Amino acid sequence: MRRELCSLAFYRAVFAEFLATLIFVFFGLGSALRWPAALPTVLQISLAFGLVIGTMVQTVGHISGAHINPAVSFAFVLGSQISIWRGIFYIIAQLLGGLAGAGILYGVVPPPIRGNLAINTLSNNTTPGLGLVVEMILTFQLVLCIFATTDSRRTDNIGSAAISIGLSVTLGHLVGVSRTYIKQFSYIYLPFYVLSYKYFCFIFFHRIMIVIL
């Protein structure tokens, strides 16, 4: 563990997580802003989040694993895929990267357009309990995709992990944005709430995946 913390590769990976999350938040939130000339659609937002995730996985995946989400790092710690200290540093870097990305977007977008930077709430008469169930299902399919595409034991042709994970994120947003409006937009400003929320989902489904996979 001490050798890991003293290595240049470790801090390079931590910075990669910071930068990838910054870019992810900037483009993801940017796609959801309500520009008068072209209001965002669910498809547009979903594709933007999926494309930026796929791009970042391809860009920094070989450096840090491209978690770009504290819940993913936490799940990898639980699965003994990374050390506890790496998980802690990754989560800190991701939170700071998310705040930096949102801050940059806040600074470059005119006040009438940026509003609350696309922080969304439950919609379509969705109750908190139902929103939790929807989020757990969406999180499950994403976690299942990530663990399946990064499983070193697989010998078949799994294709591109970047495309698979990007499509998984797109799929989640196609359902989540229209149904619950509680996808990744909000965790930048409510990190501890959503972290605990997503940690619960990942802990629960990680145990299921251990049995399945």
Side-chain angles (χ1 to χ4, degrees):
M1 181 178 296
R2 183 177 179 181
R3 180 181 299 177
E4 180 182 39
L5 291 176
C6 293
S7 68
L8 179 61
F10 174 81
Y11 293 101
R12 183 169 174 252
V14 171
F15 178 74
E17 286 297 310
F18 169 84
L19 182 62
T21 309
L22 184 157
I23 294 172
F24 168 67
V25 168
F26 181 85
F27 282 94
L29 293 181
S31 71
L33 297 180
R34 302 179 65 84
W35 295 90
L39 296 178
T41 64
V42 172
L43 179 60
Q44 173 189 321
I45 296 170
S46 302
L47 286 175
F49 272 91
L51 287 171
V52 71
I53 279 289
T55 301
M56 289 299 99
V57 169
Q58 184 68 28
T59 303
V60 305
H62 64 292
I63 300 175
S64 66
H67 295 184
I68 320 176
N69 188 324
V72 173
S73 297
F74 187 76
F76 270 70
V77 170
L78 286 180
S80 300
Q81 303 297 312
I82 60 174
S83 68
I84 294 177
W85 280 110
R86 181 177 289 267
I88 292 173
F89 273 79
Y90 273 18
I91 290 172
I92 293 173
Q94 290 154 3
L95 291 176
L96 293 177
L99 289 170
I104 293 172
L105 186 65
Y106 185 88
V108 300
V109 175
I113 305 300
R114 67 181 179 227
N116 61 1
L117 282 186
I119 297 179
N120 297 305
T121 57
L122 294 169
S123 64
N124 299 325
N125 297 319
T126 302
T127 64
L130 191 58
L132 175 63
V133 172
V134 172
E135 180 72 8
M136 289 176 68
I137 295 172
L138 301 183
T139 301
F140 175 69
Q141 67 87 20
L142 173 59
V143 162
L144 187 62
C145 177
I146 292 173
F147 272 79
T149 55
T150 58
D151 188 352
S152 60
R153 299 169 298 177
R154 294 187 62 171
T155 57
D156 58 317
N157 183 13
I158 62 173
S160 169
I163 293 177
S164 298
I165 296 172
L167 288 175
S168 178
V169 170
T170 301
L171 174 62
H173 280 79
L174 283 172
V175 176
V177 171
S178 59
R179 179 64 179 175
T180 65
Y181 261 29
I182 55 173
K183 291 308 293 174
Q184 281 96 329
F185 308 126
S186 59
Y187 85 83
I188 305 309
Y189 288 91
L190 300 172
F192 296 105
Y193 165 73
V194 178
L195 279 180
S196 60
Y197 177 60
K198 285 185 174 288
Y199 282 176
F200 169 78
C201 296
F202 269 79
I203 292 171
F204 180 76
F205 287 119
H206 176 258
R207 296 307 176 187
I208 295 178
M209 284 189 298
I210 289 176
V211 177
I212 296 176
L213 302 178

